[in-house]
Amino acid sequence: MSFKEEVEFLRSRLYKWEGDANTFHKEGPYIEVVTSPSNPDGTIRRAVVNRGGKLIHDLAYYWPQYTPITGAADHDIILFTFSKCTGHAGSRIGWAIVKDEQVASKMTKFIELSSIGVSKESQLRAAKILEALNDGLENDTRSDNFFEYGRRIMAERWEKLRKIVESSSKIFGLLEYPDEFCNFSKGITGSYPAFAWLESKKNEDIANLLGAHKMLTRTGTRFGTESKYVRISMMSRDEVFNLFLERLAAAKASNGNDH
Ligand SMILES: Cc1ncc(COP(=O)(O)O)c(C=O)c1O
């Protein structure tokens, strides 16, 4: 996530980056950003500081293709983006649900000042995409339903990745996610995060290890943790994802194939 970089770039006199909320113990006002499912590791998160500060819930990945929709979100400030909903990152469209009218108008002002208004082309495109999504949901033949389709693809990819990782459990590790009832699908579903948070079981610098096999990943230190973790995108094109699986299997073979 780029929260730290953004806060430091803006150099506001009103706030500064204080790092991981789990280790934040200062008194006084604070803003806590709760990203759920989390980027990079796909886990479900809740506010942890709980001392009356402001909360921003970033639900960029709270879509049925990634995670069971366990309930209606009801927070003061909720952020969403098209980029993770349908993959239209380039349209630069997101939206927020905000309870406090004053906060909402400050946010609108910020967008106006920083972008001089959101591109009309993007707005038209986003409206069209929403229409297509909605039509798919209304027809509700499962194959037309964008989110069910997305989940199927994500589930297949995760299954393939887990197979390789499980056959090399002394080298690599992945998180497990609970199956839960999804109110959108009306059934128990699994979690298939947009990123895989891969761990080196031998505590090696895993981005380096994968890099040696021509896999570009984002190292754990970029997310405030150790280099034995990397974030891997599960959303690349089919050819890229399949190539990644091939190379991961080759990396596993050359690092000792034992369970
Ligand atoms: C958790 C989270 N929130 C928000 C965003 C921003 O998405 P965009 O700027 O494409 O709307 C991202 C993108 O990576 C993200 O991972």
Side-chain angles (χ1 to χ4, degrees), residues 10 21 44-45 64 101 104 106 118 124 139 148 167 177 221:
L10 289 171
I44 296 300
R45 301 294 178 107
E101 218 172 313
K106 281 185 184 169
V118 178
L124 285 172
N139 294 341
E148 300 289 352
S167 68
Y177 305 93
T221 56

Side-chain angles (χ1 to χ4, degrees), residues 1 3 35 37 39 58 60-61 80-84 89 92-94 195 231:
M1 277 307 312
F3 293 144
T35 303
N39 174 0
D58 184 336
Y61 298 97
F80 294 95
T81 166
F82 251 109
S83 72
K84 313 302 186 283
R92 313 307 309 143
I93 295 260
F195 299 106
R231 190 190 78 170

Side-chain angles (χ1 to χ4, degrees), residues 71-85:
D74 179 20
H75 309 292
D76 288 347
I77 303 176
I78 315 179
L79 307 181
F80 294 95
T81 166
F82 251 109
S83 72
K84 313 302 186 283
C85 171

Side-chain angles (χ1 to χ4, degrees), residues 36-37 44 58-75 78-80 84-85 147 181 183:
S36 184
I44 296 300
D58 184 336
L59 301 195
Y61 298 97
Y62 193 49
W63 295 104
Q65 68 268 46
Y66 305 122
T67 190
I69 302 300
T70 51
D74 179 20
H75 309 292
I78 315 179
L79 307 181
F80 294 95
K84 313 302 186 283
C85 171
F147 296 107
F181 187 84
N183 286 295

Side-chain angles (χ1 to χ4, degrees), residues 168-204:
S168 51
S169 55
K170 284 192 176 157
I171 308 171
F172 299 127
L174 281 172
L175 292 176
E176 297 288 339
Y177 305 93
D179 290 350
E180 287 193 77
F181 187 84
C182 174
N183 286 295
F184 176 82
S185 302
K186 305 273 181 277
I188 302 282
T189 59
S191 270
Y192 309 106
F195 299 106
W197 189 232
L198 191 67
E199 178 186 1
S200 158
K201 290 290 187 185
K202 295 178 174 174
N203 291 331
E204 285 173 308

